[in-house]
Amino acid sequence: MSKCRIVTFSRRTDAGLWVDFLLDKVRRGGTYVPNPMTGKPYWVSLAARDVALLNLWTKAPNLLLPAIETLKATYDLAFFVTQTGYAGTWLEPNVPRVETVIDAV
Protein backbone atom coordinates (compact mmCIF):
# COMPACT_ATOMS: atom_id res chain seq x y z
CA MET A 1 0.00 0.00 0.00
CA SER A 2 1.32 3.45 -0.90
CA LYS A 3 1.45 6.29 1.54
CA CYS A 4 -0.97 9.12 0.89
CA ARG A 5 1.13 12.26 0.28
CA ILE A 6 0.91 15.94 -0.37
CA VAL A 7 2.26 16.52 -3.87
CA THR A 8 3.62 19.99 -4.58
CA PHE A 9 3.82 21.28 -8.13
CA SER A 10 6.13 23.18 -8.00
CA ARG A 11 8.81 24.96 -6.11
CA ARG A 12 11.07 24.80 -9.15
CA THR A 13 8.79 26.27 -11.81
CA ASP A 14 5.37 27.84 -12.23
CA ALA A 15 2.44 25.41 -12.45
CA GLY A 16 0.57 27.87 -14.66
CA LEU A 17 3.23 27.51 -17.35
CA TRP A 18 3.13 23.70 -17.32
CA VAL A 19 -0.60 22.87 -17.28
CA ASP A 20 -0.41 20.48 -20.25
CA PHE A 21 2.60 18.73 -18.69
CA LEU A 22 0.76 18.35 -15.38
CA LEU A 23 -2.40 16.98 -17.01
CA ASP A 24 -0.30 14.52 -19.02
CA LYS A 25 1.36 13.23 -15.84
CA VAL A 26 -2.04 12.94 -14.13
CA ARG A 27 -3.30 10.85 -17.08
CA ARG A 28 -0.19 8.65 -16.87
CA GLY A 29 -0.66 8.15 -13.12
CA GLY A 30 2.61 9.77 -12.05
CA THR A 31 6.05 10.86 -13.11
CA TYR A 32 9.72 10.55 -12.30
CA VAL A 33 11.34 13.55 -10.62
CA PRO A 34 14.98 14.06 -9.66
CA ASN A 35 15.93 13.77 -6.02
CA PRO A 36 17.17 17.29 -5.14
CA MET A 37 20.11 15.90 -3.15
CA THR A 38 21.34 13.11 -5.40
CA GLY A 39 19.78 13.86 -8.78
CA LYS A 40 18.61 10.23 -8.94
CA PRO A 41 15.05 10.03 -10.33
CA TYR A 42 12.27 8.56 -8.23
CA TRP A 43 8.61 7.84 -9.02
CA VAL A 44 5.87 10.13 -7.71
CA SER A 45 2.44 8.54 -7.98
CA LEU A 46 -0.41 10.81 -8.99
CA ALA A 47 -3.04 8.13 -8.50
CA ALA A 48 -5.95 9.59 -6.53
CA ARG A 49 -5.50 7.03 -3.73
CA ASP A 50 -1.88 8.17 -3.25
CA VAL A 51 -2.42 11.95 -3.20
CA ALA A 52 -3.81 13.58 -0.06
CA LEU A 53 -3.52 17.06 -1.59
CA LEU A 54 -2.22 18.54 -4.84
CA ASN A 55 -0.52 21.86 -4.10
CA LEU A 56 0.01 24.19 -7.08
CA TRP A 57 2.41 27.16 -6.94
CA THR A 58 1.95 29.93 -9.47
CA LYS A 59 2.24 33.59 -10.34
CA ALA A 60 -0.26 33.02 -13.16
CA PRO A 61 -3.39 31.38 -11.73
CA ASN A 62 -5.33 32.50 -14.81
CA LEU A 63 -3.40 29.91 -16.83
CA LEU A 64 -4.55 27.12 -14.49
CA LEU A 65 -8.26 27.90 -14.83
CA PRO A 66 -8.93 25.57 -17.79
CA ALA A 67 -7.57 22.60 -15.80
CA ILE A 68 -9.21 23.28 -12.43
CA GLU A 69 -12.39 21.24 -12.97
CA THR A 70 -10.39 18.26 -14.24
CA LEU A 71 -8.02 18.40 -11.26
CA LYS A 72 -10.85 19.02 -8.75
CA ALA A 73 -12.59 15.87 -9.92
CA THR A 74 -9.63 13.81 -8.68
CA TYR A 75 -7.79 15.78 -6.00
CA ASP A 76 -8.18 18.15 -3.12
CA LEU A 77 -6.34 21.28 -4.28
CA ALA A 78 -4.35 24.03 -2.60
CA PHE A 79 -2.73 27.02 -4.27
CA PHE A 80 0.23 29.21 -3.44
CA VAL A 81 -0.21 32.36 -5.51
CA THR A 82 2.62 34.87 -5.53
CA GLN A 83 2.06 38.48 -6.50
CA THR A 84 5.22 40.59 -6.49
CA GLY A 85 3.98 43.75 -8.17
CA TYR A 86 6.62 43.43 -10.91
CA ALA A 87 4.24 42.03 -13.54
CA GLY A 88 4.81 43.47 -16.98
CA THR A 89 8.10 45.07 -16.01
CA TRP A 90 11.54 44.07 -17.22
CA LEU A 91 11.86 41.93 -14.06
CA GLU A 92 8.78 39.81 -14.82
CA PRO A 93 7.65 40.60 -18.36
CA ASN A 94 5.49 37.47 -18.75
CA VAL A 95 3.74 37.54 -15.38
CA PRO A 96 0.11 38.67 -15.48
CA ARG A 97 -0.87 42.01 -14.00
CA VAL A 98 -2.34 42.23 -10.50
CA GLU A 99 -5.91 42.63 -11.79
CA THR A 100 -5.64 39.43 -13.85
CA VAL A 101 -4.30 37.50 -10.86
CA ILE A 102 -7.04 38.80 -8.57
CA ASP A 103 -9.75 37.94 -11.10
CA ALA A 104 -8.38 34.40 -11.47
CA VAL A 105 -8.20 33.84 -7.72
Side-chain angles (χ1 to χ4, degrees), residues 10-22:
S10 163
R11 296 175 63 182
R12 297 183 186 130
T13 189
D14 191 305
L17 302 177
W18 293 92
V19 175
D20 292 337
F21 175 86
L22 173 61

Side-chain angles (χ1 to χ4, degrees), residues 3-104:
K3 291 182 180 177
C4 199
R5 300 174 188 247
I6 295 173
V7 176
T8 298
F9 185 92
S10 163
R11 296 175 63 182
R12 297 183 186 130
T13 189
D14 191 305
L17 302 177
W18 293 92
V19 175
D20 292 337
F21 175 86
L22 173 61
L23 292 176
D24 177 62
K25 300 313 173 201
V26 166
R27 278 189 291 276
R28 293 173 184 250
T31 189
Y32 283 96
V33 297
N35 179 305
M37 302 300 283
T38 67
K40 182 180 175 184
Y42 65 96
W43 179 254
V44 174
S45 173
L46 293 174
R49 69 181 177 277
D50 297 331
V51 178
L53 178 79
L54 183 61
N55 185 14
L56 304 169
W57 295 42
T58 187
K59 289 184 179 183
N62 56 305
L63 299 178
L64 287 168
L65 292 177
I68 295 300
E69 291 304 318
T70 300
L71 294 172
K72 249 179 29 176
T74 306
Y75 308 109
D76 288 328
L77 301 174
F79 299 89
F80 287 160
V81 178
T82 303
Q83 181 58 58
T84 62
Y86 297 122
T89 69
W90 64 273
L91 290 170
E92 294 183 334
N94 298 317
V95 172
R97 298 209 174 270
V98 174
E99 298 79 19
T100 302
V101 172
I102 290 170
D103 287 345

